[in-house]
Amino acid sequence: MTPKILLVEDDPQIRRLLRVTLPPEGFTLLEAENGESGVAQNAEHNPDVIILDLGLPDIDGIEVVRRVREKSATPILVLSARGQDQDKVNALDAGADDYLTKPFSMPELLARIRVALRHAARTAGETAESVLTVGEIQIDQVRRVVTVGGHELALTANEYLILLVLVRQAGKVITHRQMMKEIWGPNNIMETHYLRVFMAQLRRKLEKDPARPRYLITEPGVGYRLKVD
């Protein structure tokens, strides 16, 4: 099927440019001239990618990102004249997947669309395994929600990533080095004691008795293991 691209943009010149360019590249183009229409068309047509301007005539593009994210995981590529770093950070924090500053080149825009489609396809392929369960612990990887015994935990980003690494390798010992590489990358500058701090915080939230953990087991001098009953 032809991928559907929803363009939320009030500039008629850009809409005209993409109307001429995208169909020959194998895309179906849907258009919305304002944010409210964009939110409605996303719900109605379920596009494969949203291209979104931030400076819309009715509601700010950041609000559009938030409202779309409440209902769907559709990849959002922001296309905006706002080029300040804080604008990019705000958009990405709200849930956008990518950010391209105007003026832009069409080859780069097409490349970004293809990347978004590949990421979406990979995510769709993982949907069947999107919920991981070990004992009473359940992680919804799509929604990034963790529950224990049906109760949702409020975890920080680092706590979530630590738990996710352990759940994915449940029953196996994960060394300190492996854990830090998974979370902070191969060139991390974090010290091991930071990992201990995050683990202690995670135990306080997850374990009924943090001093005698049921799940998060320390392997002294080596690393950590998620115990499988």
Side-chain angles (χ1 to χ4, degrees):
M1 296 180 62
T2 303
K4 292 182 291 187
I5 310 298
L6 171 60
L7 174 64
V8 186
E9 170 65 73
D10 66 325
D11 187 329
Q13 292 184 336
I14 292 181
R15 292 204 310 275
R16 186 161 51 247
L17 172 63
L18 298 194
R19 196 181 301 145
V20 171
T21 306
L22 292 185
E25 294 291 334
F27 302 112
T28 296
L29 181 64
L30 308 169
E31 298 180 38
E33 298 182 14
N34 58 58
E36 294 289 355
S37 175
V39 172
Q41 289 202 48
N42 176 66
E44 179 180 356
H45 298 290
N46 190 28
D48 297 285
V49 176
I50 297 172
I51 299 175
L52 172 68
D53 182 26
L54 294 184
L56 298 169
D58 53 349
I59 57 176
D60 190 77
I62 299 294
E63 178 61 21
V64 174
V65 174
R66 294 193 182 103
R67 288 167 62 174
V68 168
R69 279 292 165 264
E70 290 176 356
K71 303 293 184 181
S72 78
T74 306
I76 300 174
L77 168 57
V78 170
L79 187 64
S80 177
R82 302 180 192 173
Q84 297 297 317
D85 287 345
Q86 191 58 51
D87 294 317
K88 298 177 183 179
V89 169
N90 291 342
L92 295 172
D93 279 348
D97 297 275
D98 200 356
Y99 197 108
L100 188 58
T101 304
K102 299 176 183 177
F104 61 94
S105 74
M106 187 54 64
E108 182 175 8
L109 177 61
L110 290 170
R112 302 281 187 105
I113 292 173
R114 289 191 290 269
V115 168
L117 289 171
R118 286 197 297 272
H119 286 174
R122 193 155 54 236
T123 299
E126 296 172 353
T127 299
E129 299 179 358
S130 64
V131 178
L132 304 176
T133 303
V134 176
E136 293 184 326
I137 302 173
Q138 188 172 85
I139 300 180
D140 185 329
Q141 297 182 84
V142 174
R143 297 169 55 226
R144 294 178 70 90
V145 171
V146 176
T147 58
V148 178
H151 300 287
E152 185 174 336
L153 301 185
L155 301 184
T156 67
N158 285 324
E159 292 164 359
Y160 173 83
L161 291 173
I162 289 170
L163 183 60
L164 183 60
V165 170
L166 290 168
V167 168
R168 284 176 172 172
Q169 301 291 327
K172 299 180 181 179
V173 176
I174 311 297
T175 68
H176 297 123
R177 184 181 296 274
Q178 288 173 323
M179 181 78 73
M180 295 173 72
K181 181 179 179 181
E182 286 284 342
I183 297 170
W184 292 292
N187 299 317
N188 72 79
I189 58 173
M190 304 291 285
E191 299 293 338
T192 305
H193 72 270
Y194 286 109
L195 185 58
R196 290 197 295 270
V197 170
F198 291 130
M199 183 60 73
Q201 293 173 177
L202 183 56
R203 280 197 179 110
R204 284 196 291 272
K205 295 180 180 181
L206 186 146
E207 302 280 6
K208 291 182 179 178
D209 184 356
R212 293 187 294 176
R214 173 185 175 187
Y215 290 109
L216 304 177
I217 307 302
T218 297
E219 299 292 343
V222 180
Y224 301 98
R225 173 173 57 89
L226 186 76
K227 186 177 178 181
V228 180
D229 291 334

